[in-house]
Amino acid sequence: MPSSRKSFAIKCIIAIAVMYLCIHVLSNTGASQAIRQLQQSGRNLAALDPQQNVEPLVVEPVKEVYNVEATKAVVETTQKPQVSVLDKVKEITKCLDRPMVARVQQRGDYWVLYNYVMPEKTFKCHESITYTTHADYSFMDNLLPLLDKWRGPISLALHAPGTDFKNTLDSIAYLRDCTDSLVKEYVTFHIYFSTKHVPKEVPRHNHVFAEPFNCSSSPPFANVSSDQMYKSQKKLLYPVNVGRNVARETAQTHYVLPSDIELYPSPNIIPQFLEMIADNSGPLLSKNPKVFPLHLFEVSANQQVPDSKTKLKEMLANGTAVPFHKKLCPGCHSVPKAKEWQTANETENLRVFHVGKRNGKFIHWEPIFIGTHADPLYDERLSWEGKSDKMTQGYALCVLDYDFLILNKAFLVHRPGIKVYKKDQKRAMLAARTNQLIKKIIFPELKVLYGVRKGCAV
Ligand SMILES: *[C@@H]1O[C@H](CO)[C@@H](O)[C@H](O)[C@H]1NC(C)=O
Ligand SMILES: *[C@@H]1O[C@H](CO)[C@@H](O)[C@H](O)[C@H]1NC(C)=O
Ligand SMILES: *[C@@H]1O[C@H](CO)[C@@H](O)[C@H](O)[C@H]1NC(C)=O
Ligand SMILES: *[C@@H]1O[C@H](CO)[C@@H](O)[C@H](O)[C@H]1NC(C)=O
């Protein structure tokens, strides 16, 4: 007996040593060098090469661009679902309201200022859908075009380490005080930073803005070059999944659309989606857990984002619109029955076009979908730079046998500018390391936690 216990102990020690080695090798060799160089290569959140391909958005004082009064009228008439619809949604989802409360809390290696700047409107869980997203301040120019399309609650988590914090606060102030009133009405801002990069000063949440912002200064988020940013100076990675999770967890509504801030939705999704939920027929009655993927597109830099499926079809026909990342990573975003979707005419009501699964040809699909708080979250060890940041969630959805109820006329369009493939050796190196991390460490964990199912992969 003692000898078998001894050999067990030896096995344990060997196993621990091997694990230690793995982690050590993964987290060290050359990675920091790669990260450093990567950080110097420019704006790098959701686009690989924006400088070259994407026209800067014009950020003008919004009074001219967005007519606030006209906006209100549209919101009143087209965005508000009927009371009977909302009652049904409440009955069907049996959702619980989620209060919006400011709090400061640690989350792994990060401090998070949850609900740091809150909007005027709050929502009961059945009343809307929350667009949940993440960014740093240099991407905040996307908020206005996004709001213009969405006209509903947005939960935005901002990465703001060190001196980026001040610029982030100024950007929030500018957007709230100097642009469209929709910002004050609908957007909740959360802020997070590493415990190693705490800003010098952090105002209490109800004293963030002592006085109105001077609107004659230029928007603090316009024309930010990467070397101006603390994040780049300190060679930090972008902790994309911390932001994604913070934004999603704090959403007040039962339904959420976790997305990237540069992806603008087609109009009227909120009332039409809730009507579909209230109608509660067809594939909605299935017992499987469900999410509702949206088709993704890119349009040429000189084009407007299409405001209907009919317009989108015209743009696909003349080549000014293409499916998302068609040239970059077709496997990641191709959607089941995509050809049929593109040829199908726009219908009056929003409905489910097709029920897909994340398997077979779509085993590596990274869908963006309307889901709920019940869906698996994102792995916070993965960074934007290392890629594959949504793959572990995809695996969990597959094992849990989710139905992917693809919507027939709702879609997302990336901020204008079509991406082309550009070789980036540093990012490729980081991506290779991330793949190792997923394969050797995260995937075995997922198998323990969620189990396995034939046809599922990360
Ligand atoms: C606002 O900024 C403008 C331009 O920077 C400056 O001329 C003006 O004096 C400022 N106004 C106030 C009230 O500080
Ligand atoms: C940003 O840069 C563009 C092009 O260089 C310039 O036209 C624009 O005026 C700048 N915007 C601001 C707010 O500085
Ligand atoms: C393509 O179609 C769209 C939508 O009808 C239109 O706005 C655009 O001008 C067309 N572009 C070309 C190059 O034909
Ligand atoms: C789709 O719409 C076009 C243009 O309105 C029309 O010509 C075509 O017949 C429609 N197709 C179907 C299958 O209804």
Side-chain angles (χ1 to χ4, degrees):
M1 280 305 143
S3 84
S4 90
R5 203 177 295 159
K6 194 173 156 195
S7 84
F8 177 69
I10 291 172
K11 275 182 197 156
C12 279
I13 290 168
I14 292 173
I16 290 167
V18 168
M19 255 169 64
Y20 176 81
L21 252 162
C22 274
I23 295 169
H24 193 73
V25 167
L26 279 175
S27 59
N28 268 323
T29 15
S32 56
Q33 180 64 17
I35 293 162
R36 196 163 306 141
Q37 292 180 13
L38 186 80
Q39 290 300 318
Q40 287 160 354
S41 68
R43 250 178 115 171
N44 49 13
L45 173 58
L48 282 185
D49 187 19
Q51 251 77 23
Q52 203 174 313
N53 300 294
V54 182
E55 293 283 300
L57 277 187
V58 183
V59 185
E60 287 173 34
V62 179
K63 268 104 205 174
E64 293 148 41
V65 184
Y66 301 83
N67 182 324
V68 176
E69 287 314 308
T71 291
K72 286 230 172 79
V74 175
V75 172
E76 242 57 275
T77 55
T78 68
Q79 290 286 299
K80 217 171 200 169
Q82 292 181 346
V83 174
S84 59
V85 167
L86 293 184
D87 286 346
K88 279 208 190 112
V89 173
K90 187 173 180 181
E91 193 186 309
I92 289 163
T93 60
K94 299 186 179 64
C95 63
L96 297 175
D97 292 338
R98 308 163 64 92
M100 191 185 286
V101 183
R103 64 182 200 279
V104 178
Q105 204 170 297
Q106 246 180 312
R107 183 181 186 113
D109 296 333
Y110 295 88
W111 279 108
V112 185
L113 313 173
Y114 290 94
N115 297 314
Y116 190 54
V117 178
M118 292 189 259
E120 286 161 359
K121 284 188 203 281
T122 55
F123 289 85
K124 295 210 160 64
C125 62
H126 60 286
E127 284 180 340
S128 192
I129 307 172
T130 308
Y131 184 106
T132 74
T133 191
H134 56 89
D136 62 41
Y137 75 95
S138 70
F139 280 80
M140 285 171 77
D141 51 351
N142 291 291
L143 202 52
L144 293 171
L146 175 59
L147 269 168
D148 183 44
K149 301 281 180 194
W150 185 244
R151 308 288 173 96
I154 294 180
S155 174
L156 170 59
L158 293 161
H159 180 230
T163 55
D164 287 346
F165 184 77
K166 175 74 167 60
N167 291 323
T168 305
L169 282 195
D170 286 347
S171 300
I172 296 173
Y174 181 90
L175 284 162
R176 281 170 60 94
D177 291 346
C178 314
T179 71
D180 200 307
S181 62
L182 289 171
V183 178
K184 258 189 178 152
E185 282 169 47
Y186 285 117
V187 187
T188 309
F189 298 91
H190 322 277
I191 296 187
Y192 68 103
F193 37 77
S194 154
T195 52
K196 294 195 188 75
H197 300 278
V198 177
K200 284 243 157 58
E201 243 181 286
V202 176
R204 301 296 87 84
H205 81 92
N206 43 2
H207 299 102
V208 183
F209 304 117
E211 50 209 50
F213 198 76
N214 183 348
C215 293
S216 43
S217 47
S218 60
F221 47 80
N223 295 341
V224 179
S225 77
S226 109
D227 48 350
Q228 273 170 267
M229 297 185 69
Y230 179 91
K231 168 183 167 270
S232 332
Q233 290 161 6
K234 301 290 175 183
K235 288 111 184 146
L236 307 181
L237 288 182
Y238 181 69
V240 57
N241 285 347
V242 177
R244 282 198 179 113
N245 289 345
V246 166
R248 205 192 86 178
E249 283 180 357
T250 44
Q252 291 198 288
T253 55
H254 178 72
Y255 287 107
V256 289
L257 170 52
S259 181
D260 287 334
I261 197 166
E262 293 183 303
L263 295 172
Y264 308 153
S266 53
N268 293 322
I269 290 180
I270 297 171
Q272 295 189 336
F273 181 85
L274 295 178
E275 271 164 37
M276 180 188 77
I277 294 299
D279 185 58
N280 201 28
S281 61
L284 286 158
L285 297 171
S286 143
K287 285 274 174 286
N288 284 346
K290 312 167 184 60
V291 290
F292 301 86
L294 280 72
H295 274 262
L296 312 181
F297 297 93
E298 294 175 84
V299 299
S300 315
N302 59 356
Q303 294 292 310
Q304 299 270 311
V305 171
D307 58 8
S308 67
K309 183 171 177 190
T310 303
K311 176 91 191 214
L312 171 70
K313 281 182 65 173
E314 289 168 18
M315 294 178 71
L316 286 166
N318 71 16
T320 51
V322 295
F324 192 66
H325 282 192
K326 191 184 177 185
K327 307 217 173 72
L328 232 50
C329 180
C332 307
H333 297 287
S334 66
V335 179
K337 297 267 186 267
K339 276 228 174 68
E340 292 85 342
W341 189 94
Q342 285 172 32
T343 47
N345 279 351
E346 181 162 4
T347 55
E348 193 188 328
N349 293 325
L350 180 66
R351 286 292 175 262
V352 174
F353 183 77
H354 172 69
V355 180
K357 288 282 184 185
R358 190 182 183 267
N359 57 23
K361 227 182 102 190
F362 305 99
I363 196 162
H364 298 301
W365 187 19
E366 282 192 73
I368 292 190
F369 50 76
I370 297 176
T372 73
H373 292 281
D375 307 329
L377 283 161
Y378 305 90
D379 194 301
E380 296 185 11
R381 287 167 289 189
L382 303 178
S383 68
W384 179 83
E385 288 83 356
K387 303 188 183 178
S388 307
D389 46 56
K390 291 205 288 266
M391 291 298 186
T392 60
Q393 189 206 42
Y395 175 78
L397 294 175
C398 180
V399 175
L400 296 171
D401 203 20
Y402 266 71
D403 285 342
F404 292 80
L405 277 54
I406 298 156
L407 298 169
N408 66 348
K409 57 180 274 195
F411 56 89
L412 295 164
V413 179
H414 193 273
R415 157 205 191 107
I418 294 176
K419 277 172 229 148
V420 292
Y421 179 72
K422 189 171 159 252
K423 225 173 173 174
D424 180 343
Q425 211 172 352
K426 282 98 205 174
R427 202 171 169 209
M429 243 171 81
L430 260 174
R433 274 169 223 294
T434 298
N435 285 340
Q436 288 295 304
L437 171 68
I438 291 177
K439 209 169 122 194
K440 299 255 170 64
I441 294 173
I442 298 178
F443 189 42
E445 292 172 4
L446 294 177
K447 286 199 278 197
V448 172
L449 291 164
Y450 292 102
V452 289
R453 178 184 290 274
K454 196 157 177 270
C456 297
V458 276

